[in-house]
């Protein structure tokens, strides 16, 4: 891939990652509840989902999903339902006892965060449609395809990890003081729970 084309790909990748969505909300919530460093597990789960989307589109299956209203809607509503589930779970979650400002309570395992990050991104058919429109701009069919797809995948994933971890997860640290009180935890649970449900509504209603 030519340098100019790669720079355009990197720029597009940054803009995509900076766009707030379920992945960013999930990352910030993980950072607040389990700590900045451990939030990387949820981010890695989201990246596996991104890689799966790239593979699906590269194999041509994405065209089938995008061209089948029934299949697309099944995935779309399943994704929305999962986000609603996450939102309601946060809204109903009971806050823990107050703790010191320097401590972080680990509430779930790395595998649990990884799995949730995977499903948050995987059950989003709009990502497939996006990659269908996005990927052809940076793939040259007259050149070997596998190296191009590898460069595209590594670039998009690397940029998304950096943005999610060093921007969204780091930004959540400024709200860490709220996790030190029962009232603060309740407010954060309601805020992030509502955000998950709002994103679910957008996913379900916007075509």
């Amino acid at each position: 891939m030519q340098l100019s084309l790669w720079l355009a790909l990197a720029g597009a990748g940054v803009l995509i990652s900076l766009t707030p969505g379920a992945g960013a909300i999930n990352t910030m919530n993980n950072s607040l509840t389990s700590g900045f460093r451990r939030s990387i597990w949820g981010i890695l789960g989201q990246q596996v989902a991104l890689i799966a989307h790239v593979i699906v589109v590269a194999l041509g299956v994405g065209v089938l999903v995008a061209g089948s209203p029934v299949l697309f809607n099944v995935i779309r509503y399943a994704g929305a339902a999962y986000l609603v589930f996450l939102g309601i779970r946060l809204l109903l979650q009971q806050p823990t006892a107050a703790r010191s400002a320097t401590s972080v309570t680990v509430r779930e395992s790395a595998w649990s965060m990884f799995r949730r990050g995977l499903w948050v991104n995987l059950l989003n058919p709009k990502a497939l449609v996006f990659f269908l429109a996005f990927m052809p701009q940076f793939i040259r069919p007259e050149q070997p395809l596998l190296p191009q797809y590898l460069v595209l995948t590594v670039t998009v994933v690397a940029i998304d990890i950096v943005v999610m971890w060093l921007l969204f997860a780091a930004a959540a640290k400024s709200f860490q003081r709220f996790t030190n009180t029962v009232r603060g935890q309740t407010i954060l649970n309601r805020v992030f729970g509502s955000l998950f449900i709002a994103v679910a509504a957008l996913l379900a209603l916007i075509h």
Side-chain angles (χ1 to χ4, degrees), residues 25-110:
I25 296 170
N26 185 57
T27 297
M28 295 182 73
N29 181 62
N30 283 340
S31 181
L32 282 168
T33 57
S34 296
F36 169 72
R37 291 184 179 180
R38 298 191 78 253
S39 67
I40 189 64
W41 292 108
I43 295 171
L44 292 177
Q46 293 169 196
Q47 303 317 307
V48 172
L50 281 183
I51 293 172
H53 283 310
V54 172
I55 293 174
V56 166
V57 171
L59 294 176
V61 181
V63 177
L64 175 63
V65 174
S68 172
V70 174
L71 184 56
F72 181 86
N73 285 330
V74 167
I75 300 175
R76 180 161 64 99
Y77 289 126
Y82 183 65
L83 293 178
V84 169
F85 164 74
L86 294 178
I88 292 176
R89 189 174 68 172
L90 275 177
L91 292 174
L92 298 178
Q93 182 172 288
Q94 295 298 316
T96 60
R99 55 188 183 273
S100 65
T102 58
S103 64
V104 175
T105 297
V106 177
R107 297 183 180 177
E108 64 178 318
S109 67

Side-chain angles (χ1 to χ4, degrees), residues 68-185:
S68 172
V70 174
L71 184 56
F72 181 86
N73 285 330
V74 167
I75 300 175
R76 180 161 64 99
Y77 289 126
Y82 183 65
L83 293 178
V84 169
F85 164 74
L86 294 178
I88 292 176
R89 189 174 68 172
L90 275 177
L91 292 174
L92 298 178
Q93 182 172 288
Q94 295 298 316
T96 60
R99 55 188 183 273
S100 65
T102 58
S103 64
V104 175
T105 297
V106 177
R107 297 183 180 177
E108 64 178 318
S109 67
W111 170 243
S112 177
M113 286 189 287
F114 179 91
R115 186 175 62 245
R116 189 174 67 253
L118 173 68
W119 286 113
V120 162
N121 268 8
L122 200 60
L123 291 174
N124 183 6
K126 291 183 183 296
L128 283 175
V129 176
F130 173 80
F131 275 116
L132 278 173
F134 174 77
M135 289 172 57
Q137 311 302 320
F138 303 98
I139 299 297
R140 297 294 179 261
E142 70 277 6
Q143 300 176 8
L145 294 178
L146 182 58
Q148 295 184 76
Y149 279 119
L150 287 175
V151 170
L152 184 147
T153 303
V154 170
T155 300
V156 171
V157 167
I159 289 174
D160 200 55
I161 289 176
V162 170
V163 171
M164 287 294 157
W165 204 29
L166 299 185
L167 180 63
F168 289 112
K173 293 176 66 177
S174 61
F175 298 98
Q176 194 71 54
R177 64 184 184 278
F178 287 102
T179 65
N180 299 323
T181 65
V182 170
R183 182 172 182 273
Q185 292 174 43

